[in-house]
Amino acid sequence: MDQVPGSPKEPQDARDDDGLPGCHRHPDRPSGIRCTRCDRPICPECMVSASVGFQCPECVRGGAGTGHAPQAAAPRTIAGGTIAADPRLITKILLGLNAAVFVAVLATGGDLSPLVNRLDLLGLAADPSRYQLIGVAEGEWYRLLTAMFLHQQIAHFAFNMLSLWWLGPPLEAALGRLRFIALYVLAGLGGSALSYLLAAPGQPSLGASGAIFGLLGATAVLLRRLNHDMKPVLILLGINLAFTFLWPNIAWQAHVGGLVVGAAVAFGMVHAPRDRRTLVHAATCAVAFLAVIAVVWVRTLQLVG
């Protein structure tokens, strides 16, 4: 007997010759598996592994019945960050900021650019053009940050940017964008703080080297966490430290400060317990920032007290 389409006798699910219903997203694919949430049939392509059974993509995206937000099921990096489509975005932005400041310095006089005197890291010195004291000790704390993006010599700029391009993307992909930004800024501030503490008050310094050494230390921590071969990064670190102490006119304090802070922050990020990641990451960054503030405060009291 022919059956009229749409009659009450029509099966709810389309079935093949074996009687299996078709996937609700791909009706031509019979499947004996059903979503544990909505009970609709799903084919292997649509199956999303769950703690019990499989779920369909719609239920996973909607977070139905779980009590969790839909993004809770999204894949995460080793540090708990969201996996981004472009793992180099923040690195590119940092490169762009450094390049923009470098071009501005060249366009306003190069070595004689007034931007250098306004933005470099300086503890305390007299400015003859303004007949006043300038520097971090005089309240110009912004110099701790602006010096991180300031370069005068093209060789210095090129070396730091090549290092950033080499070290940045793997760390950005492993940590996530927000954590990578925090790592870079805190490492740079750590280098500036130690330079401010130990260098002569009137000795200016500049460059992204403190942040770059922080990325180098973070890379070593990450490789150790992943049980990867650490020989290449340790050799590179040894070479850079040798240049730091043997090459003239290098602010070794910034390199060491950035290395220590970068390694410490990265350790807190990649070793945090999974169930307390956010708390541990926030605490790690807060402690690092407070340590920078404490060092700057102590040095300021020494200079103005």
Side-chain angles (χ1 to χ4, degrees):
M1 179 184 297
D2 294 336
Q3 182 176 328
V4 179
S7 69
K9 295 181 180 180
E10 182 180 357
Q12 183 177 359
D13 296 323
R15 298 177 182 270
D16 70 342
D17 295 338
D18 296 328
L20 293 176
C23 172
H24 76 279
R25 301 176 78 238
H26 306 97
D28 58 326
R29 304 177 188 178
S31 176
I33 304 298
R34 291 180 176 271
C35 173
T36 56
R37 293 184 186 173
C38 67
D39 200 41
R40 291 182 294 183
I42 48 177
C43 66
E45 182 180 337
C46 299
M47 295 177 187
V48 179
S49 180
S51 57
V52 178
F54 297 93
Q55 298 165 5
C56 66
E58 290 84 352
C59 288
V60 171
R61 284 196 298 268
T66 64
H68 301 293
Q71 60 268 29
R76 296 281 174 172
T77 68
I78 187 174
T82 303
I83 296 179
D86 183 2
R88 293 182 172 88
L89 178 62
I90 301 303
T91 301
K92 293 174 184 176
I93 293 175
L94 291 173
L95 285 167
L97 289 174
N98 279 277
V101 176
F102 183 62
V103 170
V105 169
L106 293 180
T108 54
D111 291 342
L112 301 178
S113 171
L115 287 176
V116 175
N117 293 331
R118 294 281 186 173
L119 302 179
D120 63 359
L121 178 60
L122 190 66
L124 183 65
D127 183 359
S129 64
R130 291 186 284 173
Y131 302 101
Q132 65 182 30
L133 294 175
I134 60 174
V136 178
E138 284 296 304
E140 297 176 339
W141 284 34
Y142 67 86
R143 291 177 179 268
L144 297 164
L145 180 65
T146 56
M148 294 165 46
F149 298 93
L150 184 64
H151 298 84
Q152 282 181 290
Q153 305 299 324
I154 189 169
H156 187 204
F157 170 77
F159 179 80
N160 279 341
M161 294 305 99
L162 285 173
S163 299
L164 174 57
W165 182 247
W166 183 64
L167 295 169
L171 283 171
E172 184 177 344
L175 301 179
R177 290 174 178 172
L178 182 60
R179 292 166 179 80
F180 178 68
I181 294 174
L183 170 69
Y184 186 89
V185 173
L186 288 171
L189 290 176
S192 295
L194 192 63
S195 184
Y196 176 52
L197 177 66
L198 300 180
Q203 177 62 51
S205 62
L206 50 84
S209 301
I212 299 301
F213 265 77
L215 299 186
L216 193 55
T219 299
V221 170
L222 178 62
L223 291 178
R224 180 68 181 86
R225 171 67 175 80
L226 297 174
N227 293 320
H228 288 179
D229 183 12
M230 295 183 61
K231 290 181 182 178
V233 72
L234 291 179
I235 291 174
L236 180 62
L237 179 58
I239 293 174
N240 278 275
L241 286 175
F243 275 111
T244 295
F245 291 101
L246 298 178
W247 203 267
N249 300 322
I250 289 183
W252 63 267
Q253 301 93 339
H255 292 191
V256 173
L259 176 64
V260 171
V261 173
V265 171
F267 186 89
M269 288 182 175
V270 301
H271 288 280
R274 183 183 297 270
D275 58 339
R276 295 196 300 274
R277 273 177 177 163
T278 301
L279 177 61
V280 172
H281 293 173
T284 299
C285 293
V287 169
F289 184 69
L290 290 175
V292 169
I293 295 298
V295 168
V296 173
W297 181 67
V298 168
R299 181 56 170 167
T300 300
L301 289 181
Q302 291 177 352
L303 295 178
V304 301

